[in-house]
Amino acid sequence: MASQIQDRLTTDQDLLLMQEGMMMRKVRTKFWKKLRFFRLQNDGMTVWHARQADDIAKPTFSISDVETIRKGHDSELLRNLMEEFPLEQGFTIVFHGRRPNLDLVANSVEEAQIWMRGLELLVDLVASMDYQEQLDQWVSEWFQRGDRNQDGRMSFREAQRLLLLMNVEMDQDYALRLFQTANVSQSDTLEGEEFVQFYKALTKRTEVEQLFENFSSDGQKLTLLEFVDFLREEQKERDHAPDLALEFIDRYEPSENGRLLHVLSKDGFLRYLCSKDGNIFNPDCLPVYQDMTQPLSHYYINSSHNTYLLRDQLCGQSSVEGYIRALKRGCRCVEVDVWDGPGGEPIVYHGHTLTSRILFKDVVATLAQYAFQLSDYPLILSLENHCTWEQQRTLAQHLTEILGEQLLSTTIDGLLMDKLPSPEQLRGKILVKGKKLNTIEEIEVIDDIDEEEELENNQESELDADPYPELDALLQSESQELTSRNKHIKKVVACPVSCLLICGNVLAQTPSYIPGSSFLSNQASTTILCPDLSALVVYLRTVPFCSFTHSKENYHIYDISSFSESKARHLVKEAGNEFVQHNARQLCRVYPSALRTDSSNYHPQELWNAGCQMVAMNMQTAGSAMDICDGFFRQNGGSGYVLKPEFLCDIQSSFDPERPISIYKAKTLLVQVISGQQLPKVDSTKETSVVDPLVKVELFGVPEDTRQQETSYVENNGFNPYWGQTFCFRVQVPELAILRFVVKDYNWKSRNNFIGQYTLPWTCVKQGYRHISLLSRDGTSLRPASIFVYICMREDLEEDDS
């Protein structure tokens, strides 16, 4: 066990009391509140719970899964129960990924403080572990799991069971030889250091030893020059190799004598390969490394759709937790669907559905608190406004009063709006995206068809679209007659005597249309945009899209149009170059189809290829699409802003993502999938099940670059499988390519089962021998699970791919 945690477990008063255990109330909903006995295990890494202190306990969570601890005042659920439980006695355990929070209420303020302090201490200790401490911790955890009778010793029978837990089916005679070799005391059980040696024998990396010996003259160490040769030739470190060799030896060589002599042992070499410096993700791309002074339209922006939802968009729960989670994933554009609420307070939910409601002012307060915790670059609030005039004034009041100086309400330094500001100029600011009046005389009518319900000229049936065919027919028959510059109406008269159709939005002499209601009468009921709210829209005025020519001739650089995924995909295929030029000039937002009632996702790559900046994702839904999104935005400090390639920032660009021309330098990518380490089980409840792992290498980019290849499967070995298979990819537009590694459990009866994955942009890939730390379906770390690969990129010399 890591010494720091071991020391604190025996000396820290809070941790000692947590190991004794306490009764606390577990709260799931307003109505589900049950007493449970919680206890910190002796390993200091896991918390178990039971109905009573003497009942059979089961694991609740691991400390490594915990992201942070919140006070009761910061819990949306506990605040709703404040009349029943004092907030000071409650606290929330927040986990990495999409795992739901755990809300607990202690019997006293003092007991709540004990658990909060103790958990915060353990989370900090785990986060500060170095490689050796992590290794010690993994060894300790395996020993705890294998020592079934908890007597501090491990018999061979327990060791056999442990092998199955470790996900490996090993020949019994071979396993016995490893056990007897480690059992130097000849006591028929392994203790302490004996188990450490047994674990080392199990995790012996033959492929790494062979690589080491290829560069070592004596097979025992790498001299400084030999290590420089390895870094230069295999790791492609070039001119930095001599300096890096000294730095890495000092950092990873465990022997003090080795560090003094500037040599690297086998253990030191393995430590380097398993470290962040041996990771496939280039560490130079982890901080903010890109130019952040270009106009907003030159950046991809990490964007969320229906941010308030925790599940599906028909019956799912709305919660401020959706905003917190999105912001902690690096999201920089959140969506707020706001409607009239009771008591004059606007509410947020997915209109015309059974999703629950939350107060708009609570959403704004959450944004004020969490907007800039992960990234201080601008946050965009995409406002879908369905409110009446009076409640729009309340919206404006809440935004102004709660956000204060965070809210951008005027142009930067009073400058003319001749170009969009940069992320650097807008640091620490929240921008409202929404409809806006041009002048004081102009009154804009808000149609009940919102931005995500605009009718499309294709065959897709949008569930959220206007349900009234009268409007559909009107749009189709009159859309060709439009010549108006925009959808604003000057000096609108109050009587319903005219019908005006502008760029797909209707202000009509039609029966009144009210959200959630039927046609009621011929009395006009269109909602007028409130000037107070309009004034808060500075750089991001939403406008309907008619055509690229219309946008170029009529719209300003601060105008932004939204597209459904089907409309955007159609434009990419039919007018890719025009879409690229449009997105070089102004911002656009793409949102998922309303047919995705389960809040599933589309793959963002196709839209990124055309330079679409805000490709909104249902962040609450895990899957390959979110893996790509998370992997792509992991770069540049996780700031939520990634600079587009130059050819997507040029308003005269000739680039067409469907037909990329050959002026861009194609490359060849070689990927050798070598081995895997300590892969998790697909079903952890089945002790005897062992995975048959295979690795799929997926490349995403322009259509002709999108390919995938996979290894054969290794039977009954998830602990240290070996593949040694090499794949070749020809990449036409590497600047847009994204690489994804997926490990699956082969299953001939059905689809292969997901084990883990890792996704990253081509521009952040480090060449050479690299480890890839796998992530779960929810994006959380599966350490120590990893795969070992060799990566090589070279200029493509082929003129033809045939």
Side-chain angles (χ1 to χ4, degrees):
M1 175 178 291
S3 58
Q4 288 190 64
I5 293 182
Q6 182 68 67
D7 293 344
R8 292 299 186 98
L9 286 173
T10 57
T11 59
D12 186 273
Q13 190 64 32
D14 292 332
L15 299 185
L16 288 170
L17 290 171
M18 289 167 64
Q19 290 175 78
E20 293 178 9
M22 295 180 193
M23 292 295 294
M24 290 188 286
R25 199 172 297 275
K26 181 179 179 180
V27 182
R28 287 182 179 172
T29 67
K30 291 181 180 180
F31 310 104
W32 198 102
K33 301 157 288 190
K34 297 187 179 181
L35 283 170
R36 293 290 185 263
F37 182 78
F38 289 87
R39 187 171 77 86
L40 175 67
Q41 299 299 291
N42 295 333
D43 62 0
M45 286 295 296
T46 53
V47 172
W48 290 44
H49 79 275
R51 292 180 181 272
Q52 299 292 334
D54 54 354
D55 284 352
I56 297 176
K58 59 182 180 180
T60 308
F61 62 87
S62 170
I63 299 299
S64 59
D65 295 334
V66 177
E67 178 182 309
T68 189
I69 312 298
R70 292 188 202 147
K71 296 179 181 179
H73 293 84
D74 295 326
S75 167
E76 183 180 25
L77 177 57
L78 296 181
R79 284 199 304 268
N80 291 330
L81 297 170
M82 59 188 301
E83 294 183 1
E84 189 174 351
F85 305 113
L87 287 176
E88 293 79 8
Q89 291 177 210
F91 61 96
T92 303
I93 300 171
V94 182
F95 299 100
H96 295 289
R98 296 175 179 84
R99 180 174 175 177
N101 297 343
L102 176 59
D103 287 290
L104 298 173
V105 178
N107 290 322
S108 67
V109 176
E110 181 182 0
E111 290 187 0
Q113 292 294 325
I114 288 170
W115 277 86
M116 290 176 66
R117 288 193 302 263
L119 290 172
E120 287 170 350
L121 172 62
L122 291 173
V123 169
D124 289 342
L125 290 174
V126 169
S128 63
M129 283 183 183
D130 60 21
Y131 174 77
Q132 187 58 48
E133 289 174 324
Q134 289 179 346
L135 183 60
D136 293 344
Q137 186 63 46
W138 297 330
V139 173
S140 175
E141 288 178 6
W142 281 124
F143 186 84
Q144 291 284 341
R145 294 181 65 183
D147 183 15
R148 196 164 193 175
N149 61 7
Q150 297 295 298
D151 64 353
R153 299 187 298 271
M154 186 173 295
S155 65
F156 179 64
R157 187 170 182 176
E158 288 176 321
Q160 286 180 295
R161 172 178 170 270
L162 177 63
L163 289 174
L164 291 176
L165 292 175
M166 286 179 159
N167 218 356
V168 61
E169 190 174 277
M170 186 177 291
D171 177 77
Q172 182 172 329
D173 292 339
Y174 180 65
L176 182 59
R177 287 199 300 273
L178 294 181
F179 184 90
Q180 291 174 336
T181 300
N183 185 25
V184 294
S185 65
Q186 298 184 344
S187 62
D188 295 330
T189 59
L190 302 180
E191 301 180 48
E193 186 59 29
E194 290 178 328
F195 180 76
V196 172
Q197 295 306 314
F198 179 65
Y199 179 85
K200 284 185 175 181
L202 291 174
T203 55
K204 183 178 180 180
R205 300 284 300 278
T206 304
E207 77 280 16
V208 173
E209 290 187 1
Q210 291 176 348
L211 178 62
F212 179 88
E213 290 168 2
N214 287 342
F215 284 84
S216 171
S217 57
D218 63 4
Q220 300 300 314
K221 65 181 182 300
L222 289 175
T223 65
L224 180 61
L225 290 179
E226 289 170 341
F227 191 35
V228 168
D229 286 343
F230 171 77
L231 293 177
R232 182 180 288 122
E233 294 174 18
E234 301 293 354
Q235 306 299 79
K236 313 301 181 187
E237 298 291 2
R238 312 299 183 194
D239 296 338
H240 300 292
D243 292 336
L244 288 175
L246 287 169
E247 180 182 332
F248 292 162
I249 289 173
D250 189 57
R251 184 178 299 165
Y252 301 114
E253 172 54 44
S255 163
E256 183 178 353
N257 188 52
R259 293 194 296 271
L260 290 172
L261 296 174
H262 301 312
V263 297
L264 196 64
S265 63
K266 287 183 180 179
D267 282 346
F269 185 64
L270 180 59
R271 283 190 181 193
Y272 154 68
L273 289 176
C274 293
S275 72
K276 61 181 177 62
D277 293 304
N279 194 278
I280 191 172
F281 199 101
N282 189 338
D284 293 341
C285 297
L286 288 174
V288 175
Y289 70 98
Q290 295 178 335
D291 177 10
M292 302 299 282
T293 64
Q294 297 190 34
L296 282 178
S297 56
H298 289 190
Y299 297 85
Y300 297 113
I301 303 173
N302 197 351
S303 303
S304 166
H305 175 251
N306 290 349
T307 316
Y308 47 88
L309 290 179
L310 298 184
R311 297 193 305 275
D312 66 85
Q313 60 186 41
L314 287 182
C315 305
Q317 178 188 358
S318 301
S319 171
V320 297
E321 193 64 38
Y323 291 93
I324 297 172
R325 293 180 185 178
L327 292 170
K328 289 193 171 183
R329 296 183 86 88
C331 177
R332 292 288 87 192
C333 177
V334 297
E335 183 178 24
V336 183
D337 286 317
V338 61
W339 303 77
D340 280 0
E345 281 294 341
I347 55 175
V348 175
Y349 80 109
H350 195 49
H352 315 301
T353 69
L354 299 178
T355 57
S356 60
R357 278 79 161 155
I358 54 177
L359 292 175
F360 175 76
K361 64 180 180 181
D362 289 345
V363 171
V364 179
T366 300
L367 297 181
Q369 182 177 356
Y370 291 94
F372 303 108
Q373 286 193 3
L374 184 69
S375 169
D376 61 354
Y377 287 100
L379 175 68
I380 296 169
L381 194 161
S382 182
L383 191 64
E384 298 294 338
N385 173 22
H386 308 269
C387 291
T388 56
W389 178 288
E390 285 302 318
Q391 293 213 14
Q392 287 181 55
R393 293 182 64 185
T394 305
L395 296 180
Q397 182 179 353
H398 286 329
L399 288 168
T400 303
E401 293 180 356
I402 297 174
L403 297 181
E405 292 298 316
Q406 291 180 322
L407 180 66
L408 184 79
S409 55
T410 61
T411 57
I412 298 295
D413 298 327
L415 298 176
L416 294 175
M417 295 172 63
D418 56 344
K419 68 175 182 178
L420 283 170
S422 69
E424 184 65 33
Q425 290 175 299
L426 295 169
R427 290 178 82 154
K429 291 296 182 181
I430 297 177
L431 286 70
V432 176
K433 168 187 163 291
K435 294 181 172 68
K436 183 176 179 62
L437 306 174
N438 270 351
T439 67
I440 195 65
E441 291 83 15
E442 287 183 289
I443 300 176
E444 177 164 334
V445 179
I446 303 172
D447 301 320
D448 292 310
I449 306 172
D450 73 10
E451 184 179 335
E452 293 197 6
E453 295 171 347
E454 292 179 10
L455 300 171
E456 301 174 38
N457 295 320
N458 56 35
Q459 299 302 312
E460 179 178 346
S461 173
E462 297 283 2
L463 293 185
D464 280 345
D466 181 5
Y468 302 103
E470 294 92 335
L471 297 182
D472 287 352
L474 185 61
L475 286 167
Q476 294 295 330
S477 64
E478 297 191 21
S479 61
Q480 302 302 318
E481 302 175 10
L482 296 177
T483 55
S484 175
R485 176 182 178 120
N486 56 43
K487 64 177 177 179
H488 297 295
I489 300 184
K490 300 192 176 184
K491 301 178 181 178
V492 174
V493 294
C495 58
V497 295
S498 62
C499 174
L500 181 61
L501 173 71
I502 299 179
C503 301
N505 286 280
V506 179
L507 310 174
Q509 181 184 334
T510 59
S512 303
Y513 173 44
I514 300 173
S517 75
S518 304
F519 284 107
L520 300 177
S521 68
N522 285 333
Q523 181 179 358
S525 65
T526 42
T527 303
I528 308 301
L529 181 61
C530 172
D532 291 354
L533 187 59
S534 169
L536 301 182
V537 178
V538 181
Y539 288 110
L540 302 172
R541 181 181 68 171
T542 58
V543 294
F545 176 79
C546 298
S547 68
F548 291 124
T549 300
H550 177 273
S551 295
K552 187 175 182 179
E553 293 177 351
N554 294 278
Y555 290 155
H556 301 286
I557 49 91
Y558 53 80
D559 289 330
I560 174 172
S561 298
S562 288
F563 305 85
S564 73
E565 61 173 284
S566 57
K567 179 66 174 179
R569 282 174 168 163
H570 176 77
L571 291 172
V572 170
K573 294 183 184 302
E574 300 301 321
N577 178 245
E578 287 185 276
F579 210 177
V580 166
Q581 294 180 358
H582 173 90
N583 292 328
R585 183 174 56 253
Q586 61 192 80
L587 290 162
C588 89
R589 178 177 178 269
V590 182
Y591 56 88
S593 165
L595 294 174
R596 298 182 181 274
T597 55
D598 58 350
S599 292
S600 60
N601 277 305
Y602 55 102
H603 278 239
Q605 182 71 52
E606 185 178 4
L607 292 318
W608 288 339
N609 290 344
C612 297
Q613 298 90 349
M614 291 185 277
V615 181
M617 307 291 289
N618 289 314
M619 290 190 168
Q620 72 272 32
T621 306
S624 60
M626 274 310 303
D627 293 341
I628 292 169
C629 184
D630 289 340
F632 180 71
F633 283 106
R634 189 172 290 118
Q635 62 179 309
N636 206 34
S639 64
Y641 287 84
V642 172
L643 188 63
K644 297 193 293 186
E646 287 186 13
F647 54 82
L648 293 181
C649 298
D650 181 4
I651 60 174
Q652 303 295 329
S653 176
S654 60
F655 180 74
D656 186 333
E658 294 294 302
R659 293 165 284 277
I661 53 180
S662 59
I663 61 170
Y664 305 106
K665 293 182 179 179
K667 290 192 176 182
T668 296
L669 171 67
L670 293 176
V671 178
Q672 183 184 21
V673 180
I674 303 172
S675 62
Q677 296 77 44
Q678 302 190 51
L679 306 178
K681 291 176 178 288
V682 171
D683 187 350
S684 59
T685 63
K686 297 180 179 179
E687 286 190 3
T688 59
S689 67
V690 177
V691 300
D692 303 327
L694 59 86
V695 178
K696 180 183 289 186
V697 183
E698 301 174 337
L699 188 72
F700 299 95
V702 297
E704 66 183 77
D705 289 345
T706 301
R707 300 286 185 273
Q708 62 182 34
Q709 301 186 60
E710 69 180 37
T711 68
S712 55
Y713 68 92
V714 176
E715 189 172 0
N716 291 331
N717 187 354
F719 192 72
N720 55 359
Y722 180 84
W723 295 282
Q725 293 178 247
T726 302
F727 305 121
C728 180
F729 298 87
R730 185 170 184 265
V731 187
Q732 180 71 23
V733 189
E735 295 90 340
L736 293 175
I738 293 177
L739 196 59
R740 182 171 185 252
F741 297 85
V742 191
V743 183
K744 294 194 171 185
D745 178 19
Y746 173 75
N747 189 335
W748 65 272
K749 296 180 181 178
S750 62
R751 294 178 60 186
N752 298 333
N753 296 312
F754 177 90
I755 294 177
Q757 68 83 32
Y758 192 82
T759 307
L760 74 166
W762 170 286
T763 53
C764 299
V765 174
K766 285 283 280 186
Q767 298 187 73
Y769 289 93
R770 303 290 170 183
H771 277 92
I772 301 173
S773 298
L774 296 177
L775 303 176
S776 71
R777 192 180 299 276
D778 278 344
T780 57
S781 173
L782 291 174
R783 287 182 69 88
S786 64
I787 56 175
F788 187 46
V789 300
Y790 177 74
I791 303 290
C792 181
M793 300 173 181
R794 63 189 185 205
E795 298 294 330
D796 186 42
L797 301 179
E798 300 180 24
E799 293 294 328
D800 195 313
D801 196 29
S802 59

